[in-house]
């Protein structure tokens, strides 16, 4: 009880709980709908395009979320976002339609972005600067843990197709209800002369921190493409339905294992080096795994080790952005990290779906490997100049 007597720790615990349940619902939704659509004969291109609905919603709300947060504070934004998520999840079983489900995905994207931006900004603006890195690592860890558990809920479809949606909706409602116990606060860092500059501050934040946005972009691409389209690819390769959620979960679990250690290591040797080496190592692992698809166990092992290297790219990207960006632009950089995540999440299912339709003779994992290799090269070529600029 002494832990919860400290209000700041109580607030942090509730925010982390909300993020973990949000991760769980996202981790469940992508493979669940992909498998349902694949069984219903929906094309992989449409399947992948449909998965972008969540991220289109996330991207559409991004330019308009900062002002309401300043005006109303954190608590109302979290309540609105959480309500959109659990109501939309509960509505899925009401009518199975490609168009209706796409609209629900849009609403979940809007709700998730509102929820994540508010919780993330609340944590970064109230945490002690000395423990900010640890706090963000725990934040990323909580989301990754939920995201890892999410695909395992797909197995509830064997009992009832509606059960996974209803169960995740109830869990979201449970976590959402704890927000009422928090006092509302407003972000001081989002006020001041930056508001008068309008879109100019976004241009400045991009100029300083564009390299750091690669981390959230890649994390979004991997999260969406692997969870939305790898199930489709794996089913076509003859993988058992039961092993697919396990493969997706071990990838996220790999990121969970190394989330905090990589964050601490980044403090010592530089976050750019961690992002660069992780991208290169994961590219190599996915490239090798593309030749081992005859063994489902080998693919699962490859996913785990790739996850240990790139599973924390979002939180590393945020802290790398903080290294490169002036303090007065940190809130804007924080928002742009979310936008980069959304763009990556949109690109993943669309590009992956087209790849599955057009490229028949090469493994889907090669697409992932090529992207990671390209990011590693960009970090290698441009990273040195950014390091000198930051110093």
């Amino acid at each position: 009880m002494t832990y919860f007597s400290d209000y700041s720790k109580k607030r942090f615990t509730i925010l982390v709980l909300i993020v973990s349940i949000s991760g769980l619902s996202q981790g469940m939704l992508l493979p669940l709908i992909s498998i349902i659509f694949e069984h219903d004969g929906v094309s992989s291109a449409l399947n992948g395009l449909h998965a972008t609905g969540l991220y289109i919603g996330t991207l559409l709300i991004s330019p308009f979320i900062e002002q309401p947060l300043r005006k109303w504070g954190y608590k109302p934004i979290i309540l609105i976002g959480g309500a959109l998520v659990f109501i939309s999840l509960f509505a899925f079983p009401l009518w199975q339609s490609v168009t209706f489900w796409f609209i629900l995905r849009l609403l979940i994207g809007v709700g998730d972005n509102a929820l994540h931006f508010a919780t993330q900004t609340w944590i970064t603006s109230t945490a002690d600067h000395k423990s900010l890195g640890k706090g963000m690592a725990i934040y990323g860890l909580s989301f990754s843990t939920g995201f890892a558990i999410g695909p395992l809920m797909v197995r509830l479809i064997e009992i009832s197709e509606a059960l996974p949606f209803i169960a995740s909706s109830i869990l979201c409602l449970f976590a959402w209800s704890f927000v009422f116990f928090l006092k509302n606060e407003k972000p001081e860092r989002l006020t001041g002369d930056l508001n008068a500059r309008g879109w100019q501050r976004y241009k400045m934040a991009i100029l300083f921190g564009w390299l750091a946005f690669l981390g959230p972009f890649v994390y979004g691409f991997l999260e969406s493409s692997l969870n939305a389209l790898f199930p489709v690819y794996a089913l076509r390769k003859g993988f058992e339905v039961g092993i697919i959620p396990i493969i997706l979960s071990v990838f996220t679990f790999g990121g969970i294992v190394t989330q905090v250690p990589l964050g601490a290591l980044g403090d010592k040797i530089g976050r750019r080096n961690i992002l660069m080496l992780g991208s290169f190592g994961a590219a190599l692992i996915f490239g090798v795994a593309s030749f081992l698809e005859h063994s489902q166990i080998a693919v699962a092992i490859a996913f785990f080790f790739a996850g240990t290297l790139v599973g924390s790219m979002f939180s590393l990207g945020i802290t790398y952005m903080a290294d490169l960006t002036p303090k007065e632009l940190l809130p804007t950089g924080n928002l742009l990290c979310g936008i980069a995540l959304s763009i990556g999440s949109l690109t993943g299912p669309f590009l992956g779906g087209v790849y599955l339709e057009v490229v028949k003779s090469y493994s889907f994992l090669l697409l992932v490997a090529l992207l990671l290799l390209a990011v590693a090269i960009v970090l290698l070529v441009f990273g040195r100049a950014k390091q000198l600029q930051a110093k």
Side-chain angles (χ1 to χ4, degrees), residues 143-145 147-149 151-152 218-227 230 243-259 278-279 281-283 285-286 289 299-313 365 368-369 372:
F143 179 82
S144 298
T145 301
F147 203 88
I149 297 172
L152 300 179
V218 170
Y219 183 86
F221 186 98
L222 294 176
E223 173 195 276
S224 61
S225 63
L226 292 180
N227 282 275
F230 179 75
I243 194 69
I244 295 173
I246 295 174
I247 291 174
L248 295 175
S249 292
V250 297
F251 174 79
T252 309
F253 183 71
I256 292 171
V257 171
T258 57
Q259 184 88 222
S279 298
I285 291 172
F286 277 120
V299 172
I301 293 171
F303 266 59
F304 171 78
F305 284 108
T308 62
L309 296 175
V310 295
S312 57
M313 292 193 81
L365 299 182
V368 179
L372 289 167

Side-chain angles (χ1 to χ4, degrees), residues 93-110:
L94 299 180
W95 182 26
Q96 185 169 334
S97 161
V98 172
T99 303
F100 180 62
W101 281 17
F102 185 79
I103 293 172
L104 291 179
R105 276 182 149 170
L106 279 174
L107 292 176
I108 291 177
V110 171

Side-chain angles (χ1 to χ4, degrees), residues 29-39 41-57 98 101-102 105-106 220-233 236 342-358 364 367:
L29 201 62
L30 287 168
L32 175 63
I33 294 180
S34 292
I35 289 173
I36 291 174
F37 279 173
E38 178 67 10
H39 285 162
V42 177
S43 70
S44 59
L46 180 58
N47 205 334
L49 184 63
H50 196 278
T52 64
L54 188 147
Y55 306 106
I56 291 174
V98 172
W101 281 17
F102 185 79
R105 276 182 149 170
L106 279 174
F221 186 98
L222 294 176
E223 173 195 276
S224 61
S225 63
L226 292 180
N227 282 275
L229 290 175
F230 179 75
V232 175
Y233 176 74
R236 293 180 181 180
S342 301
I343 294 173
S345 301
L346 282 168
T347 306
F350 177 73
L351 184 60
V354 173
Y355 183 90
L356 287 180
E357 284 292 310
V358 177
F364 173 73
L367 173 66

